């Protein structure tokens, strides 16, 4: 094309030169007239000068033409090989021109893009957005930007950024220049960040942890567009489903636990004592994945869009412990298992299942791994918080139970610190002292008992705190509100902290005053009975002797 244009330019220049020569010849004197040698020489000289000028102009034109061809070639290289798509559309949205990148982005040869509507490649759900965008472009006339989803010829979706401006075309008809940029990676990153932020808000929200996890699973379910999503978390050596969304109940019941069990029902463990985790989930959790195989990633995830291929694995090539293949038998063709990892430790996984094939791409799996990495930190923190809360609840329940037992004990239960101030008292002790618990707690022995009784108790308590030995004894005590001494059978013992250090003294005391009175009465009655028995024995003996004397 460039050579033809150059030849045409040469021919036009030659024609103009010939016209100029003929005009010069027409101005020459006619033959009848006398022409001097000087005039003829001047005329020839002018013609030669003119010829030289024409030759120089022709050379300059050739140089300009060559530079123009180089520039045009450079322009087409930049246009066709640009990292973004360029196309020109008319007012009806029909593509008039397109570069190679535009064809690559849309999955169509450039020549086949021409005379096709750009709207043909816009996702149906985004068609209205595209038409509003074009209307605004025509009405305002300034450059407009729009983000929407486009469909390639093979049906694959990608996010595109359209930057469009209106320019004057041939014959005064307006056309639009469109710059098409693939922003899928950016949109995926934005979606990941937005989803992660939402999931973190859920995890940090107060309320029931299990319901929180159920909400989180439902959010992942809706976002991923898969039929079923589950979360496995470590619990007592196994990794049961903590929450699921979309899985049938029967499937969840069969697949909840991953540990292998022998014929006797005992959990199977390896030489290090680690439980054997079955099937592909166990393979991912234990980190026994092979990234050189296409179904595994460098981050330890597993994914497939055609799960039935696993049934064709030879036993020698299958690294799984007891492959259950329940996902396959349930008809799930697309399966993804994403580990939840904190450092080098895997404490759970995210599972995505779908009966339809080809639901996952490597980009989506990478996105899920990024979400899982951020989610794992928050999950581990929430699990630790929940474990502490559950331990605290269990501890509080134990305290409440112990308090209930102590409070319902008929004997007096008490405790004192090293300053001999009361730190614990039950209902029986409160009744014994005829005071509410609040009036006893924090009080010293001298506040509760008479001075003589308090001194007596202090001597015993100091001995126990010094020796660290328990003592069981009978004590006769008189409280400040008591009218008469009471006798108690008391067991006292030192209270120690977790390090074995004595931090106080506790005891259990049973009021045996009435029992002691009964015992005293029984002793007196026994003595009286023995006295009567002796007297009776003497009387019987005397009468026996008298009878024998009478008989004799």
């Amino acid at each position: 094309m460039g050579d033809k244009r150059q030849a045409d330019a040469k021919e036009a220049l030659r024609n103009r030169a010939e016209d100029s020569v003929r005009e010069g010849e027409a101005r020459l004197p006619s033959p009848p007239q006398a022409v001097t040698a000087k005039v003829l020489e001047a005329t020839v000289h002018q013609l030669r000068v003119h010829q030289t000028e024409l030759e120089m102009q022709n050379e300059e034109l050739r140089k300009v033409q060559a530079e123009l061809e180089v520039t045009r070639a450079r322009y087409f290289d930049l246009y066709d090989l640009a990292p973004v798509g360029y196309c020109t559309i008319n007012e009806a949205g029909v593509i008039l021109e397109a570069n190679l990148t535009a064809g690559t982005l849309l999955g169509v040869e450039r020549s086949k893009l021409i005379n096709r509507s750009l709207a043909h490649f816009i996702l149906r759900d985004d068609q209205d957005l595209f038409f509003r965008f074009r209307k605004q472009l025509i009405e305002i006339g300034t450059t407009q930007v729009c983000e929407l989803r486009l469909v390639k010829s093979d049906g694959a979706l990608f996010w595109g950024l359209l930057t469009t401006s209106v320019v004057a075309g041939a014959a005064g008809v307006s056309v639009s220049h469109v710059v098409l940029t693939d922003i899928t990676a950016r949109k995926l990153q934005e979606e990941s960040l937005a989803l992660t932020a939402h999931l973190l808000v859920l995890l940090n929200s107060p309320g029931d942890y299990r319901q929180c996890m159920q909400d989180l699973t439902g959010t992942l379910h809706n976002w991923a567009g898969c039929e079923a999503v589950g979360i496995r978390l470590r619990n007592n050596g196994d990794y049961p489903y903590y929450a699921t969304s979309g899985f049938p109940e029967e499937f969840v019941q069969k697949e909840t636990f991953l540990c292998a069990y022998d014929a006797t029902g005992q959990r199977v463990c390896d030489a290090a004592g680690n439980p054997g985790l079955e099937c592909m989930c166990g393979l991912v959790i234990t980190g026994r994945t092979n990234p050189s195989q296409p179904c595994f990633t460098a981050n330890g995830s597993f994914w497939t869009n055609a799960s039935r291929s696993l049934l064709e694995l030879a036993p020698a090539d299958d690294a799984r412990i007891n492959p259950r293949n329940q996902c396959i038998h349930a008809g799930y063709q697309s399966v993804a298992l994403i580990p939840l990892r904190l450092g080098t430790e895997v404490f759970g996984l995210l599972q995505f299942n779908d009966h339809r094939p080809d639901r996952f791409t490597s980009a989506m799996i990478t996105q899920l791994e990024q979400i899982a990495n951020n989610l794992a930190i928050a999950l581990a923190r929430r699990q630790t918080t929940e474990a502490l809360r559950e331990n605290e609840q269990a501890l509080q329940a134990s305290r409440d139970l112990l308090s209930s037992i102590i409070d319902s004990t008929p004997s007096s239960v008490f405790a004192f610190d090293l300053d001999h101030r009361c730190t614990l008292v039950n209902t029986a002790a409160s009744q014994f002292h005829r005071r509410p618990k609040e009036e006893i707690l924090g009080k010293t022995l001298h506040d509760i008992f008479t001075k003589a009784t308090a001194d007596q108790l202090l001597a015993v308590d100091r001995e126990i705190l010094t020796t660290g030995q328990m003592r069981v004894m009978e004590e006769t005590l008189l409280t400040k509100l008591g009218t008469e001494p009471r006798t108690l059978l008391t067991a006292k013992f030192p209270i120690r902290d977790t390090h074995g250090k004595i931090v106080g003294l506790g005891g259990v005391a049973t009021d045996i005053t009435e029992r002691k009175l009964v015992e005293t009465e029984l002793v007196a009655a026994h003595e009286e009975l023995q006295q009567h028995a002796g007297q009776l024995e003497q009387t019987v003996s005397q009468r026996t002797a008298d009878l024998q004397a009478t008989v004799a």
Side-chain angles (χ1 to χ4, degrees), residues 412-476:
S412 296
V413 180
F414 55 87
F416 288 85
D417 61 19
L418 296 180
D419 293 326
H420 305 286
R421 293 186 177 277
C422 183
T423 56
L424 171 68
V425 63
N426 69 344
T427 300
S430 173
Q431 293 172 348
F432 175 80
H433 290 282
R434 301 178 184 178
R435 291 184 178 184
K437 294 179 183 179
E438 294 75 15
E439 294 185 8
I440 301 175
L441 292 171
K443 299 297 191 295
T444 65
L445 291 173
H446 283 89
D447 296 327
I448 302 171
F449 297 96
T450 62
K451 183 178 184 308
T453 299
D455 290 342
Q456 169 193 332
L457 294 174
L458 275 175
V460 175
D461 291 353
R462 286 170 178 156
E463 178 184 348
I464 294 172
L465 293 175
T466 301
T467 63
Q469 301 297 318
M470 182 179 72
R471 283 191 57 180
V472 179
M473 70 206 87
E474 287 188 8
E475 297 177 314
T476 301

Side-chain angles (χ1 to χ4, degrees), residues 121-382:
F121 299 97
I122 306 297
L123 183 68
R124 181 180 298 273
D125 293 344
D126 290 353
Q127 289 281 350
D128 290 342
L129 174 63
F130 177 62
F131 287 124
R132 289 196 301 270
F133 166 68
R134 285 189 54 219
K135 181 180 179 182
Q136 185 177 18
L137 175 68
I138 295 172
E139 291 177 351
I140 298 177
T142 57
T143 300
Q144 300 294 312
V145 178
C146 177
E147 294 180 359
L148 42 71
R149 290 165 293 180
L150 295 100
V151 186
K152 295 188 177 184
S153 59
D154 61 359
L157 294 178
F158 72 96
W159 275 96
L161 173 68
L162 272 61
T163 305
T164 308
S165 57
V166 178
V167 296
V173 179
S174 296
V175 295
S176 299
H177 287 170
V178 180
V179 179
L180 175 59
T181 308
D182 187 347
I183 58 171
T184 304
R186 194 198 81 194
K187 294 295 289 187
L188 290 178
Q189 184 69 17
E190 291 175 355
E191 288 180 2
S192 297
L193 292 174
L195 177 64
T196 301
H198 180 66
L199 296 178
L200 293 179
V201 169
L202 284 177
L203 281 175
N204 291 306
S205 298
D208 181 68
Y209 180 50
R210 189 166 292 277
Q211 182 59 50
C212 165
M213 291 297 294
Q214 195 62 50
D215 293 342
L216 184 146
T217 306
T219 300
L220 286 172
H221 186 185
N222 294 332
W223 176 83
C226 292
E227 292 178 342
V229 176
I231 298 180
R232 292 185 180 274
L233 294 177
R234 181 173 52 207
N235 183 20
N236 193 27
D238 208 329
Y239 293 79
Y241 283 124
Y242 198 92
T244 62
S245 178
F247 283 112
E249 186 62 31
E250 181 181 359
F251 179 90
V252 174
Q253 290 177 355
K254 286 182 179 179
E255 288 292 281
T256 287
F257 298 103
L258 297 181
C259 282
Y261 293 87
D262 59 21
T264 64
Q266 297 297 316
R267 183 181 294 177
V268 177
C269 297
D270 58 20
N274 299 315
L277 303 178
E278 296 181 330
C279 209
M280 190 61 73
C281 287
L283 203 64
V284 171
I285 289 173
T286 55
R288 293 182 293 111
T289 58
N290 185 359
S292 65
Q293 297 181 1
C295 57
F296 296 107
T297 71
N299 196 47
S301 299
F302 165 84
W303 67 288
T304 178
N305 285 317
S307 63
R308 287 193 173 275
S309 61
L310 296 175
L311 296 176
E312 302 172 0
L313 284 177
D317 299 329
D318 198 338
R320 294 176 293 173
I321 298 176
N322 184 24
R324 300 175 181 175
N325 295 321
Q326 287 294 331
C327 291
I328 304 173
H329 298 320
Y332 293 115
Q333 297 192 60
S334 298
V335 179
L337 306 174
I338 314 297
L340 292 168
R341 182 181 290 107
L342 191 62
T344 59
E345 181 184 11
V346 176
F347 65 91
L349 61 77
L350 303 179
Q351 180 175 350
F352 300 85
N353 282 27
D354 203 299
H355 286 92
R356 297 165 291 181
D358 302 321
R359 297 301 297 169
F360 304 117
T361 63
S362 58
M364 184 177 181
I365 297 301
T366 300
Q367 189 177 15
L368 289 174
E369 288 180 336
Q370 292 174 349
I371 293 171
N373 289 339
N374 293 325
L375 192 59
I377 299 173
L379 270 173
R381 185 185 301 115
R382 182 64 187 263

